[in-house]
Structures are given as C-alpha cells and as structure tokens.
Coordinates of all heavy atoms in Angstrom, one line a residue:
E12 N -21.7 -8.1 -2.3 CA -20.5 -7.5 -2.2 C -19.3 -8.4 -2.7 O -18.5 -8.0 -3.2 CB -20.1 -7.2 -0.7 CG -21.1 -6.0 -0.2 CD -20.8 -5.6 1.2 OE1 -20.2 -6.5 2.0 OE2 -21.4 -4.6 1.7
V13 N -19.6 -9.8 -2.5 CA -18.6 -10.7 -2.9 C -18.5 -10.6 -4.5 O -17.4 -10.5 -5.1 CB -19.0 -12.1 -2.6 CG1 -18.0 -13.1 -3.2 CG2 -19.0 -12.2 -1.0
E14 N -19.6 -10.5 -5.1 CA -19.7 -10.5 -6.6 C -19.0 -9.1 -7.1 O -18.2 -9.2 -8.1 CB -21.1 -10.5 -7.2 CG -21.2 -10.7 -8.6 CD -20.8 -12.1 -9.1 OE1 -20.6 -13.0 -8.3 OE2 -20.6 -12.2 -10.4
A15 N -19.2 -8.0 -6.4 CA -18.7 -6.7 -6.8 C -17.2 -6.8 -6.6 O -16.4 -6.3 -7.5 CB -19.3 -5.6 -5.9
A16 N -16.7 -7.4 -5.6 CA -15.3 -7.5 -5.4 C -14.6 -8.3 -6.5 O -13.5 -8.0 -7.0 CB -15.0 -8.2 -3.9
K17 N -15.2 -9.4 -7.0 CA -14.7 -10.2 -8.0 C -14.6 -9.4 -9.3 O -13.5 -9.5 -9.9 CB -15.6 -11.4 -8.2 CG -15.2 -12.3 -9.4 CD -16.2 -13.4 -9.5 CE -17.1 -13.1 -10.6 NZ -18.1 -14.3 -11.1
W18 N -15.6 -8.6 -9.6 CA -15.5 -7.8 -10.9 C -14.5 -6.7 -10.7 O -13.8 -6.3 -11.7 CB -16.9 -7.3 -11.2 CG -17.8 -8.5 -11.8 CD1 -18.7 -9.1 -11.1 CD2 -17.6 -9.2 -13.0 NE1 -19.2 -10.1 -11.8 CE2 -18.4 -10.2 -13.1 CE3 -16.7 -9.1 -14.1 CZ2 -18.6 -11.2 -14.1 CZ3 -16.7 -10.0 -15.1 CH2 -17.6 -10.9 -15.1
F19 N -14.5 -6.0 -9.5 CA -13.5 -4.9 -9.3 C -12.1 -5.5 -9.4 O -11.2 -4.8 -10.1 CB -13.7 -4.3 -7.9 CG -14.8 -3.3 -7.9 CD1 -15.6 -3.3 -6.7 CD2 -15.0 -2.3 -8.8 CE1 -16.7 -2.4 -6.7 CE2 -16.1 -1.4 -8.8 CZ -16.9 -1.4 -7.7
R20 N -11.8 -6.7 -8.9 CA -10.5 -7.3 -9.0 C -10.1 -7.5 -10.5 O -9.0 -7.3 -10.9 CB -10.4 -8.7 -8.2 CG -9.0 -9.2 -8.2 CD -8.9 -10.4 -7.3 NE -9.4 -10.3 -6.1 CZ -8.7 -9.7 -5.0 NH1 -7.4 -9.3 -5.3 NH2 -9.2 -9.6 -3.8
K21 N -11.1 -8.1 -11.3 CA -10.8 -8.3 -12.7 C -10.4 -7.0 -13.4 O -9.4 -6.9 -14.2 CB -11.9 -8.9 -13.4 CG -12.2 -10.4 -13.1 CD -13.4 -11.0 -13.8 CE -13.8 -12.3 -13.4 NZ -12.9 -13.3 -14.1
A22 N -11.1 -5.9 -13.1 CA -10.9 -4.6 -13.8 C -9.6 -4.1 -13.2 O -8.7 -3.4 -14.0 CB -12.0 -3.7 -13.6
A23 N -9.4 -4.2 -11.9 CA -8.1 -3.7 -11.3 C -6.9 -4.2 -11.9 O -5.9 -3.6 -12.1 CB -8.2 -3.8 -9.8
E24 N -7.0 -5.6 -12.1 CA -5.8 -6.3 -12.6 C -5.5 -5.8 -14.0 O -4.4 -5.9 -14.5 CB -6.0 -7.8 -12.6 CG -5.9 -8.3 -11.0 CD -6.4 -9.7 -10.9 OE1 -7.0 -10.3 -11.9 OE2 -6.3 -10.3 -9.8
Q25 N -6.5 -5.3 -14.7 CA -6.3 -4.7 -16.0 C -5.9 -3.4 -16.0 O -5.6 -2.7 -17.1 CB -7.5 -4.9 -16.9 CG -7.9 -6.3 -17.2 CD -9.2 -6.5 -18.0 OE1 -9.6 -5.7 -18.7 NE2 -9.8 -7.7 -17.8
G26 N -5.7 -2.8 -14.8 CA -5.1 -1.4 -14.8 C -6.1 -0.2 -14.5 O -5.7 1.0 -14.6
F27 N -7.3 -0.4 -14.4 CA -8.4 0.5 -14.3 C -8.3 1.1 -12.9 O -8.6 0.5 -11.9 CB -9.8 0.0 -14.6 CG -10.0 -0.4 -16.0 CD1 -9.9 -1.7 -16.4 CD2 -10.2 0.6 -16.9 CE1 -10.0 -2.1 -17.7 CE2 -10.3 0.3 -18.3 CZ -10.2 -1.1 -18.7
A28 N -8.0 2.5 -12.8 CA -7.8 3.1 -11.5 C -9.0 3.1 -10.7 O -9.0 3.0 -9.4 CB -7.3 4.5 -11.8
N29 N -10.1 3.4 -11.3 CA -11.4 3.4 -10.4 C -11.6 2.0 -9.7 O -12.0 1.9 -8.6 CB -12.6 3.7 -11.3 CG -12.8 5.3 -11.5 OD1 -12.2 6.0 -10.8 ND2 -13.5 5.5 -12.5
A30 N -11.4 0.9 -10.5 CA -11.6 -0.4 -9.9 C -10.5 -0.7 -8.9 O -10.9 -1.2 -7.8 CB -11.5 -1.5 -11.0
Q31 N -9.3 -0.3 -9.1 CA -8.2 -0.4 -8.1 C -8.7 0.3 -6.8 O -8.4 -0.3 -5.8 CB -7.0 0.1 -8.7 CG -6.5 -0.7 -9.8 CD -5.3 -0.1 -10.5 OE1 -5.1 1.1 -10.5 NE2 -4.4 -0.9 -11.3
T32 N -9.2 1.5 -6.9 CA -9.5 2.3 -5.8 C -10.7 1.5 -5.1 O -10.7 1.5 -3.9 CB -10.0 3.7 -6.1 OG1 -8.9 4.3 -6.8 CG2 -10.4 4.5 -5.0
N33 N -11.7 1.1 -5.9 CA -12.8 0.4 -5.2 C -12.4 -0.9 -4.5 O -12.9 -1.2 -3.5 CB -14.0 0.3 -6.2 CG -14.7 1.5 -6.6 OD1 -14.9 2.4 -5.7 ND2 -15.1 1.7 -7.8
L34 N -11.6 -1.6 -5.1 CA -11.1 -2.8 -4.6 C -10.3 -2.5 -3.3 O -10.4 -3.1 -2.3 CB -10.2 -3.6 -5.6 CG -9.7 -5.0 -5.0 CD1 -10.7 -5.8 -4.7 CD2 -8.8 -5.5 -6.1
G35 N -9.5 -1.5 -3.3 CA -8.8 -1.0 -2.1 C -9.7 -0.7 -1.0 O -9.5 -1.1 0.2
I36 N -10.8 0.0 -1.2 CA -11.8 0.3 -0.3 C -12.4 -0.9 0.3 O -12.6 -1.1 1.6 CB -12.9 1.2 -0.8 CG1 -12.4 2.6 -1.1 CG2 -14.1 1.3 0.1 CD1 -13.3 3.4 -2.1
M37 N -12.8 -1.9 -0.6 CA -13.4 -3.2 -0.1 C -12.4 -3.9 0.8 O -12.9 -4.5 1.8 CB -13.8 -4.0 -1.4 CG -15.0 -3.3 -2.0 SD -15.7 -4.3 -3.3 CE -17.0 -5.2 -2.5
L38 N -11.2 -4.0 0.5 CA -10.1 -4.8 1.3 C -10.0 -4.0 2.5 O -9.8 -4.6 3.5 CB -8.8 -4.8 0.4 CG -8.9 -5.8 -0.8 CD1 -7.7 -5.6 -1.7 CD2 -8.8 -7.2 -0.1
A39 N -9.8 -2.7 2.5 CA -9.6 -1.8 3.7 C -10.7 -2.1 4.7 O -10.5 -2.1 6.0 CB -9.4 -0.4 3.5
K40 N -12.0 -2.2 4.2 CA -13.1 -2.3 5.1 C -13.6 -3.8 5.4 O -14.5 -4.1 6.1 CB -14.3 -1.5 4.6 CG -13.9 -0.1 4.6 CD -15.1 0.9 4.1 CE -14.7 2.4 4.2 NZ -15.9 3.3 4.0
G41 N -13.1 -4.7 4.5 CA -13.6 -6.1 4.6 C -15.0 -6.2 4.1 O -15.8 -7.0 4.6
L42 N -15.3 -5.6 2.9 CA -16.5 -5.7 2.3 C -16.5 -6.7 1.2 O -15.9 -6.5 0.1 CB -16.9 -4.3 1.7 CG -17.0 -3.1 2.7 CD1 -17.2 -1.9 2.0 CD2 -18.1 -3.4 3.8
G43 N -17.1 -7.9 1.4 CA -17.2 -8.9 0.3 C -15.9 -9.7 0.2 O -15.8 -10.6 -0.6
V44 N -14.9 -9.2 1.0 CA -13.6 -9.9 1.0 C -13.0 -9.9 2.3 O -13.6 -9.0 3.2 CB -12.6 -9.2 0.0 CG1 -12.9 -9.3 -1.4 CG2 -12.4 -7.8 0.3
A45 N -12.0 -10.7 2.6 CA -11.4 -10.7 4.0 C -10.6 -9.3 4.1 O -10.1 -8.8 3.2 CB -10.4 -11.7 4.1
K46 N -10.8 -8.6 5.3 CA -10.1 -7.3 5.5 C -8.6 -7.6 5.4 O -8.0 -8.5 5.9 CB -10.5 -6.8 6.8 CG -9.8 -5.5 7.2 CD -10.4 -4.8 8.4 CE -9.7 -3.5 8.6 NZ -10.3 -2.9 9.9
D47 N -8.0 -6.8 4.6 CA -6.5 -6.9 4.2 C -6.0 -5.5 4.0 O -6.0 -5.0 2.8 CB -6.2 -7.9 3.2 CG -4.8 -8.2 3.0 OD1 -3.9 -7.4 3.3 OD2 -4.4 -9.4 2.6
E48 N -5.4 -4.8 5.0 CA -4.9 -3.4 4.8 C -3.7 -3.4 3.9 O -3.5 -2.4 3.2 CB -4.7 -2.8 6.1 CG -6.0 -2.5 6.9 CD -5.9 -2.0 8.3 OE1 -4.7 -2.2 8.9 OE2 -6.7 -1.4 8.7
V49 N -2.9 -4.4 3.9 CA -1.6 -4.5 3.1 C -2.1 -4.6 1.7 O -1.6 -3.7 0.8 CB -0.8 -5.8 3.5 CG1 0.4 -5.8 2.6 CG2 -0.3 -5.6 4.8
K50 N -3.0 -5.4 1.3 CA -3.6 -5.4 -0.1 C -4.3 -4.1 -0.5 O -4.1 -3.7 -1.6 CB -4.4 -6.6 -0.4 CG -3.6 -8.0 -0.4 CD -4.5 -9.1 -0.6 CE -3.8 -10.4 -0.6 NZ -4.7 -11.6 -0.8
A51 N -4.9 -3.6 0.5 CA -5.7 -2.3 0.1 C -4.7 -1.2 -0.2 O -4.9 -0.6 -1.1 CB -6.5 -1.9 1.4
A52 N -3.7 -1.0 0.6 CA -2.6 -0.1 0.4 C -2.0 -0.3 -1.0 O -1.7 0.6 -1.8 CB -1.6 -0.1 1.4
K53 N -1.7 -1.5 -1.4 CA -1.2 -1.9 -2.7 C -2.0 -1.3 -3.9 O -1.6 -0.7 -4.8 CB -1.0 -3.4 -2.7 CG -0.3 -3.8 -4.1 CD -0.4 -5.4 -4.3 CE -1.6 -5.8 -5.1 NZ -1.5 -7.1 -5.6
W54 N -3.3 -1.7 -3.7 CA -4.3 -1.2 -4.8 C -4.4 0.3 -4.8 O -4.4 0.9 -5.8 CB -5.6 -1.9 -4.7 CG -5.5 -3.4 -5.2 CD1 -5.6 -4.5 -4.3 CD2 -5.2 -3.8 -6.4 NE1 -5.4 -5.6 -5.1 CE2 -5.2 -5.2 -6.3 CE3 -5.1 -3.3 -7.6 CZ2 -5.0 -6.0 -7.4 CZ3 -4.8 -4.0 -8.8 CH2 -4.8 -5.3 -8.6
Y55 N -4.5 0.9 -3.6 CA -4.6 2.3 -3.6 C -3.3 3.0 -4.2 O -3.4 3.9 -5.1 CB -4.7 2.9 -2.1 CG -5.9 2.7 -1.4 CD1 -5.9 2.5 0.0 CD2 -7.1 2.7 -2.0 CE1 -7.0 2.3 0.7 CE2 -8.3 2.7 -1.4 CZ -8.3 2.5 0.0 OH -9.4 2.3 0.7
R56 N -2.1 2.5 -4.0 CA -0.9 3.0 -4.6 C -0.9 2.8 -6.1 O -0.6 3.8 -6.8 CB 0.4 2.2 -4.0 CG 1.6 2.9 -4.6 CD 2.9 2.3 -3.9 NE 2.9 2.5 -2.5 CZ 3.4 3.6 -2.0 NH1 3.8 4.6 -2.7 NH2 3.4 3.8 -0.6
K57 N -1.4 1.8 -6.7 CA -1.5 1.6 -8.1 C -2.4 2.6 -8.7 O -2.0 3.2 -9.7 CB -2.1 0.1 -8.4 CG -0.9 -1.0 -8.3 CD -1.7 -2.3 -8.6 CE -0.7 -3.4 -8.4 NZ 0.4 -3.4 -9.4
A58 N -3.5 2.8 -8.1 CA -4.5 3.9 -8.5 C -3.9 5.3 -8.4 O -4.1 6.1 -9.2 CB -5.8 3.7 -7.9
A59 N -3.3 5.5 -7.2 CA -2.7 6.9 -6.9 C -1.6 7.2 -7.9 O -1.6 8.4 -8.3 CB -2.2 6.8 -5.5
E60 N -0.9 6.2 -8.2 CA 0.3 6.6 -9.3 C -0.4 6.9 -10.6 O 0.3 7.5 -11.5 CB 1.2 5.3 -9.3 CG 2.1 5.2 -8.1 CD 2.9 3.9 -8.0 OE1 2.6 3.0 -8.7 OE2 3.8 3.9 -7.1
Q61 N -1.6 6.5 -10.8 CA -2.2 6.8 -12.1 C -3.0 8.2 -12.1 O -3.6 8.7 -12.9 CB -3.3 5.8 -12.6 CG -2.6 4.5 -12.9 CD -3.7 3.5 -13.4 OE1 -4.4 3.8 -14.5 NE2 -3.9 2.5 -12.7
G62 N -2.9 8.8 -10.8 CA -3.5 10.1 -10.6 C -4.9 10.1 -10.0 O -5.6 11.2 -10.1
H63 N -5.3 9.0 -9.5 CA -6.7 9.0 -9.0 C -6.7 9.6 -7.6 O -6.0 9.2 -6.7 CB -7.1 7.4 -8.8 CG -8.6 7.2 -8.6 ND1 -9.1 7.5 -7.4 CD2 -9.6 6.9 -9.5 CE1 -10.5 7.2 -7.6 NE2 -10.7 6.8 -8.8
D64 N -7.5 10.7 -7.5 CA -7.4 11.5 -6.3 C -8.0 10.9 -5.0 O -7.3 11.1 -3.9 CB -8.2 12.9 -6.5 CG -9.7 12.8 -7.0 OD1 -10.1 11.6 -7.4 OD2 -10.4 13.7 -6.8
I65 N -9.0 10.1 -5.1 CA -9.5 9.4 -4.0 C -8.5 8.4 -3.5 O -8.2 8.4 -2.2 CB -10.9 8.7 -4.2 CG1 -12.0 9.8 -4.5 CG2 -11.2 7.8 -3.1 CD1 -13.1 9.3 -5.2
A66 N -7.8 7.7 -4.4 CA -6.8 6.8 -4.0 C -5.6 7.6 -3.4 O -5.0 6.9 -2.5 CB -6.3 6.0 -5.2
Q67 N -5.2 8.6 -3.9 CA -4.1 9.4 -3.4 C -4.4 9.8 -2.0 O -3.5 9.6 -1.0 CB -3.9 10.7 -4.2 CG -3.3 10.3 -5.5 CD -3.3 11.5 -6.5 OE1 -4.1 12.5 -6.4 NE2 -2.5 11.4 -7.5
F68 N -5.7 10.2 -1.7 CA -6.0 10.6 -0.3 C -6.0 9.4 0.6 O -5.5 9.4 1.7 CB -7.4 11.3 -0.3 CG -7.9 11.6 1.1 CD1 -7.4 12.8 1.7 CD2 -8.8 10.8 1.8 CE1 -7.8 13.2 3.0 CE2 -9.1 11.2 3.1 CZ -8.6 12.3 3.7
A69 N -6.6 8.3 0.1 CA -6.7 7.0 0.8 C -5.3 6.5 1.2 O -5.0 6.0 2.3 CB -7.5 6.0 0.2
L70 N -4.4 6.5 0.2 CA -3.0 6.1 0.5 C -2.3 7.1 1.6 O -1.7 6.4 2.4 CB -2.3 6.2 -0.9 CG -0.8 5.6 -0.7 CD1 -0.7 4.3 -0.2 CD2 -0.1 5.7 -2.1
G71 N -2.6 8.2 1.4 CA -2.1 9.2 2.4 C -2.5 8.9 3.7 O -1.8 8.9 4.7
L72 N -3.8 8.6 3.9 CA -4.4 8.2 5.2 C -3.7 7.0 5.7 O -3.4 6.9 7.0 CB -5.8 8.0 5.0 CG -6.8 7.9 6.2 CD1 -6.7 9.1 7.1 CD2 -8.1 7.6 5.9
M73 N -3.5 6.0 4.9 CA -2.9 4.8 5.4 C -1.5 4.9 5.8 O -1.0 4.4 6.8 CB -3.0 3.6 4.3 CG -4.5 3.3 4.0 SD -4.7 1.8 3.0 CE -4.6 0.6 4.3
L74 N -0.7 5.8 5.1 CA 0.6 6.1 5.4 C 0.7 6.9 6.7 O 1.5 6.6 7.5 CB 1.4 6.8 4.2 CG 1.7 6.0 3.0 CD1 1.8 6.8 1.8 CD2 2.9 5.1 3.3
A75 N -0.1 7.8 6.9 CA -0.2 8.7 8.0 C -0.5 7.9 9.4 O 0.1 8.2 10.4 CB -1.3 9.8 7.9
N76 N -1.2 6.8 9.1 CA -1.7 6.0 10.3 C -1.0 4.6 10.5 O -1.2 3.8 11.3 CB -3.2 5.8 10.3 CG -3.9 7.2 10.5 OD1 -3.9 7.7 11.6 ND2 -4.4 7.7 9.4
G77 N -0.1 4.3 9.5 CA 0.6 3.0 9.5 C -0.4 1.8 9.2 O -0.3 0.8 9.8
L78 N -1.4 2.1 8.4 CA -2.3 1.0 8.1 C -2.0 0.2 6.9 O -2.0 0.7 5.8 CB -3.7 1.5 7.9 CG -4.3 2.4 9.1 CD1 -5.5 3.1 8.7 CD2 -4.5 1.5 10.3
G79 N -1.4 -1.0 7.1 CA -1.0 -1.8 5.9 C 0.3 -1.5 5.3 O 0.8 -2.1 4.4
V80 N 0.9 -0.4 5.9 CA 2.2 0.0 5.4 C 2.9 0.5 6.6 O 2.3 1.0 7.6 CB 2.1 1.1 4.3 CG1 1.6 0.6 3.0 CG2 1.2 2.3 4.8
A81 N 4.3 0.9 6.4 CA 5.0 1.5 7.5 C 4.5 2.9 7.6 O 4.2 3.6 6.6 CB 6.5 1.4 7.3
K82 N 4.3 3.4 8.8 CA 3.9 4.8 9.0 C 5.0 5.8 8.4 O 6.2 5.6 8.7 CB 3.7 5.1 10.5 CG 3.2 6.4 10.8 CD 2.8 6.6 12.3 CE 2.2 7.9 12.5 NZ 1.7 8.1 13.9
D83 N 4.6 6.7 7.6 CA 5.5 7.6 7.0 C 4.7 9.0 6.7 O 4.0 9.0 5.7 CB 6.0 7.0 5.6 CG 7.1 7.9 5.0 OD1 7.1 9.0 5.2 OD2 7.8 7.3 4.2
E84 N 4.8 9.8 7.6 CA 4.0 11.1 7.5 C 4.6 11.9 6.4 O 3.8 12.7 5.8 CB 4.1 11.8 8.8 CG 3.3 11.0 10.0 CD 3.4 11.6 11.3 OE1 4.2 12.7 11.5 OE2 2.7 11.2 12.3
V85 N 5.8 11.9 6.1 CA 6.4 12.7 4.9 C 5.7 12.1 3.7 O 5.3 13.0 2.8 CB 7.9 12.6 4.9 CG1 8.4 13.4 3.6 CG2 8.6 13.3 6.1
E86 N 5.8 10.8 3.4 CA 5.1 10.3 2.2 C 3.7 10.6 2.2 O 3.1 10.8 1.1 CB 5.5 8.8 2.2 CG 4.9 8.0 1.0 CD 5.7 8.1 -0.3 OE1 6.8 8.9 -0.3 OE2 5.3 7.6 -1.3
A87 N 3.0 10.5 3.4 CA 1.6 10.7 3.4 C 1.2 12.1 3.0 O 0.3 12.4 2.2 CB 1.0 10.5 4.9
A88 N 2.1 13.1 3.5 CA 1.8 14.5 3.0 C 2.0 14.6 1.5 O 1.2 15.5 1.0 CB 2.9 15.4 3.8
K89 N 2.9 13.9 0.9 CA 3.0 14.0 -0.5 C 1.8 13.6 -1.3 O 1.3 14.2 -2.2 CB 4.2 13.1 -0.9 CG 4.4 13.0 -2.5 CD 5.5 12.0 -2.8 CE 4.8 10.8 -3.5 NZ 5.8 9.8 -3.9
W90 N 1.1 12.4 -0.8 CA -0.1 12.0 -1.4 C -1.3 12.9 -1.1 O -2.1 13.1 -2.0 CB -0.4 10.6 -1.0 CG 0.6 9.6 -1.7 CD1 1.7 8.9 -1.1 CD2 0.7 9.4 -3.1 NE1 2.4 8.3 -2.1 CE2 1.8 8.4 -3.3 CE3 0.0 9.8 -4.3 CZ2 2.3 8.0 -4.5 CZ3 0.4 9.3 -5.5 CH2 1.5 8.4 -5.6
Y91 N -1.3 13.4 0.1 CA -2.4 14.3 0.4 C -2.3 15.6 -0.5 O -3.3 16.0 -1.0 CB -2.3 14.8 1.9 CG -2.8 13.9 3.0 CD1 -2.1 13.8 4.2 CD2 -3.8 13.0 2.7 CE1 -2.5 13.0 5.2 CE2 -4.2 12.2 3.6 CZ -3.6 12.1 4.9 OH -4.0 11.3 6.0
R92 N -1.1 16.0 -0.7 CA -0.9 17.2 -1.6 C -1.3 16.9 -3.0 O -2.0 17.8 -3.7 CB 0.6 17.6 -1.5 CG 1.0 19.0 -1.9 CD 2.3 19.5 -1.6 NE 3.3 18.6 -1.4 CZ 3.7 18.2 -0.1 NH1 3.2 18.7 1.0 NH2 4.7 17.3 0.0
K93 N -0.9 15.8 -3.6 CA -1.4 15.4 -4.9 C -2.9 15.3 -5.0 O -3.4 15.8 -6.0 CB -0.8 14.1 -5.3 CG 0.7 14.2 -5.6 CD 1.3 12.8 -6.0 CE 2.8 12.8 -6.3 NZ 3.1 13.3 -7.6
A94 N -3.5 14.8 -4.0 CA -5.0 14.7 -4.1 C -5.6 16.2 -3.9 O -6.5 16.5 -4.7 CB -5.4 13.9 -2.9
A95 N -5.0 17.0 -3.1 CA -5.6 18.3 -3.0 C -5.3 19.1 -4.2 O -6.3 20.0 -4.6 CB -4.8 19.0 -1.7
E96 N -4.3 19.0 -4.9 CA -4.0 19.7 -6.2 C -5.1 19.5 -7.3 O -5.3 20.2 -8.1 CB -2.6 19.4 -6.7 CG -1.5 20.0 -5.9 CD -0.1 19.4 -6.3 OE1 0.0 18.5 -7.1 OE2 0.8 19.9 -5.6
Q97 N -5.7 18.3 -7.0 CA -6.8 18.0 -8.1 C -8.1 18.5 -7.7 O -9.2 18.4 -8.3 CB -6.9 16.5 -8.3 CG -5.6 15.9 -8.8 CD -5.8 14.5 -9.1 OE1 -6.6 14.1 -10.0 NE2 -5.0 13.6 -8.5
G98 N -8.2 19.1 -6.4 CA -9.5 19.7 -6.0 C -10.1 18.8 -5.1 O -11.2 18.8 -4.7

C-alpha cells in the first residue's frame, strides 16, 4: 500500500483525476499513508472539480459529515447532485 500511495501521489500531482481520487481514498482510510481527512478532502476536491463522479460523491460525504472540512450540507448536496447526474 505504501508503494501504491507513492505512485498515486506522483500521478495526482500531475493532475490525473483517478489518481487524485485513489490518493484521497488512501488518505481518508489511512491505507499506506497516515490517515489525514484534510488532505483526503483536498484531493477529492481536485478530482471532483475535473468531473470525477466517485470523487464528487466522496467530497459530498466528507462535507455532509464534516470530515476534514467544515460541515456544509448545502455544498454536500451540490456534489452529490453532480455525481448523480453522471449516473
């Protein structure tokens, strides 16, 4: 998992939404890296803004529950909606 996190980070820093989402998941769960919900939310947001549906849902979840970000149910609903519009 440590090696995976290293490679996801390299790709995420280059702007790849899938890698940003996967790195967010690893950070949110503490898989191969120290658990860090603030950083997870940051990576989810980067991917979500590129239209990545899983990241949009994950960011909505974090916003709805105040995980790594200030709780904001209105903003959460916006991201849930964007994810749902993609199927």
